[in-house]
Amino acid sequence: MEEKKKEATPKKSFFKSVKSEFSRIIWPAKDKLIKETGVVVIATLVLGVIIAALDFLIQIGLDAIL
């Protein structure tokens, strides 16, 4: 009898390559990750406040004009 080799299905092949890529990732240290996350959160909040203030000032300006 002739044995047939099972070829990897595209789905299995995809997940195998994803697993291979994940093993190559160099993950940051926990303390560095926490610091960088804090910087991102603070920067987002600051930019949100700036955008809200500009929106408020533009609204007041347009109300005064119209």
Side-chain angles (χ1 to χ4, degrees):
M1 281 189 192
E2 192 177 310
E3 292 184 29
K4 292 183 180 178
K5 292 183 179 178
K6 290 186 177 181
E7 292 184 22
T9 63
K11 193 175 186 179
K12 285 183 182 179
S13 175
F14 171 76
F15 285 111
K16 192 173 186 179
S17 61
V18 167
K19 185 177 179 181
S20 170
E21 289 297 323
F22 265 95
S23 68
R24 295 180 188 161
I25 295 173
I26 300 172
W27 298 100
K30 187 176 182 178
D31 57 335
K32 184 176 181 181
L33 182 65
I34 290 171
K35 287 179 185 176
E36 290 178 357
T37 301
V39 169
V40 169
V41 169
I42 290 170
T44 302
L45 291 173
V46 168
L47 287 173
V49 168
I50 291 171
I51 291 171
L54 286 173
D55 181 53
F56 182 71
L57 292 173
I58 292 170
Q59 183 76 31
I60 290 174
L62 288 175
D63 286 344
I65 292 173
L66 300 176

